[in-house]
């Protein structure tokens, strides 16, 4: 599997669980992973916004219940999202 090969060489800090309450009182859960320090690395701001708003994939036409906006440094990427699943632990 492509992702398994890519993940083998990736070193990540442990994820830190965070929770917050949104305007209607719903508690939202997420995780923060601090970047690894790398010699000569430059910091980049990363932001992911997921909204409960219907979305259609522009390439496949598939429909999703959420829209997602990822901002990474100066880049912005818009797309669709699904409800998450618990990650498979190794």
């Amino acid at each position: 599997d492509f992702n398994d090969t890519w993940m083998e060489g990736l070193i990540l800090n442990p994820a830190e669980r965070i929770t917050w309450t949104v305007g209607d009182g719903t508690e939202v859960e997420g995780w923060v992973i601090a970047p690894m320090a790398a010699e000569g690395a430059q910091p980049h701001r990363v932001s992911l916004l997921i909204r409960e708003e219907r979305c259609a994939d522009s390439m496949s036409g598939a429909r999703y219940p959420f829209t997602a906006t990822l901002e990474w440094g100066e880049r912005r990427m818009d797309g669709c999202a699904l409800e998450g699943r618990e990650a498979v632990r190794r």
Side-chain angles (χ1 to χ4, degrees):
D1 178 69
F2 173 82
N3 289 331
D4 290 337
T5 303
W6 183 78
M7 292 290 291
E8 285 176 7
L10 187 63
I11 300 170
L12 296 174
N13 281 324
E16 176 186 342
R17 182 178 175 264
I18 58 172
T19 60
W20 63 97
T21 305
V22 295
D24 67 356
T26 302
E27 186 174 277
V28 178
E29 178 181 39
W31 293 267
V32 174
I33 301 175
M36 295 292 289
E39 191 174 324
Q42 298 296 315
H44 293 280
R45 184 179 72 81
V46 175
S47 169
L48 176 62
L49 174 64
I50 299 176
R51 294 180 305 276
E52 190 171 355
E53 183 178 295
R54 291 182 186 180
C55 180
D57 184 275
S58 60
M59 292 178 66
S60 69
R63 297 179 188 275
Y64 297 91
F66 303 99
T67 61
T69 301
L70 175 67
E71 293 181 354
W72 179 17
E74 298 299 316
R75 295 182 67 184
R76 176 184 167 139
M77 294 165 261
D78 295 301
C80 302
L82 287 172
E83 185 174 328
R85 297 177 191 90
E86 186 173 332
V88 176
R89 300 189 189 274
R90 293 180 188 220

